[in-house]
Amino acid sequence: MKEVVLDTETTGISVKEGHRIVEIGCIELDNLVPTKNKFHCYLNPERKVSEKAFEVHGYSDDFLSKQKKFQNVVEEFLKFIDGKKIVIHNAEFDIGHLNNELSLIKKGKISSANVIDTLEIARNKYPGSGNSLDALCKRFRVDNSRREKHTALIDCELLSKVYINLIDQKEP
């Protein structure tokens, strides 16, 4: 069974305030084992990054202004995730942003039926505990020392290890 661990970074929290995606990272899993197949891109959000978002990921307006726009990578992205379950930590956030980007270019939305939300799994499994990606890394002894800033691919790598532990599988 193939799955895709997915993460995005954005210009800010709310799509209602016009915030956009600046990075998409995906790692393919085959029976919970990461394959060599990855999808990664930085995006020109065509707007300024909020101060808070910059503190989280560190991508400057100057750097992002030189990147491709979502419409230039959408076909490759959709092909990468097609037919696979999508594993996301806090899926509502990432899917909300992805579906906003898709609607801006008149494309169909990603169905939440194809999404596994690891935050939801963690909240059900460990109610009242910290369930951030960092907290779950600590709980499962996943080394997150490379995570100085939030970056989509590093977060996907960490989440793939956390996910295996969350669903009670041993890490390969």
Side-chain angles (χ1 to χ4, degrees):
M1 175 183 66
K2 291 200 177 172
E3 297 168 309
V4 171
V5 178
L6 182 148
D7 187 47
T8 64
E9 297 303 330
T10 63
T11 60
I13 298 292
S14 172
V15 293
K16 287 185 178 84
E17 293 174 14
H19 286 291
R20 306 277 305 272
I21 294 176
V22 299
E23 182 185 25
I24 302 172
C26 301
I27 295 175
E28 181 185 68
L29 303 179
D30 190 359
N31 291 316
L32 302 176
V33 179
T35 71
K36 300 246 183 279
N37 292 337
K38 294 181 179 167
F39 175 87
H40 180 256
C41 63
Y42 297 105
L43 297 170
N44 177 349
E46 303 177 83
R47 65 155 292 153
K48 298 256 182 248
V49 173
S50 73
E51 217 171 283
K52 272 243 191 286
F54 179 76
E55 287 170 20
V56 170
H57 54 60
Y59 303 137
S60 70
D61 293 326
D62 184 53
F63 169 74
L64 295 170
S65 71
K66 297 174 178 107
Q67 306 305 317
K68 291 180 180 176
K69 294 178 182 165
F70 182 76
Q71 66 201 30
N72 302 122
V73 301
V74 67
E75 294 306 326
E76 185 186 354
F77 168 69
L78 291 174
K79 187 176 169 191
F80 190 85
I81 66 170
D82 186 46
K84 300 169 188 152
K85 285 278 184 197
I86 306 168
V87 178
I88 305 174
H89 197 71
N90 192 8
E92 187 179 336
F93 178 83
D94 296 272
I95 293 297
H97 278 276
L98 286 165
N99 282 339
N100 178 61
E101 295 289 345
L102 289 164
S103 72
L104 290 172
I105 56 171
K106 314 256 184 288
K107 291 267 184 197
K109 293 185 174 190
I110 297 169
S111 166
S112 58
N114 291 333
V115 175
I116 298 165
D117 188 346
T118 53
L119 180 58
E120 203 174 289
I121 295 169
R123 283 178 174 158
N124 289 332
K125 208 167 182 178
Y126 309 110
S129 293
N131 290 310
S132 68
L133 186 53
D134 284 331
L136 291 169
C137 284
K138 190 173 182 179
R139 173 185 291 276
F140 297 126
R141 295 185 180 90
V142 171
D143 178 9
N144 66 348
S145 59
R146 286 179 45 222
R147 189 184 198 219
E148 292 166 28
K149 295 269 185 193
H150 289 239
T151 65
L153 273 183
I154 288 175
D155 288 3
C156 286
E157 288 170 19
L158 295 173
L159 183 57
S160 68
K161 294 173 182 174
V162 164
Y163 174 56
I164 291 162
N165 282 283
L166 266 179
I167 60 171
D168 296 322
Q169 302 292 322
K170 293 283 181 248
E171 187 179 340

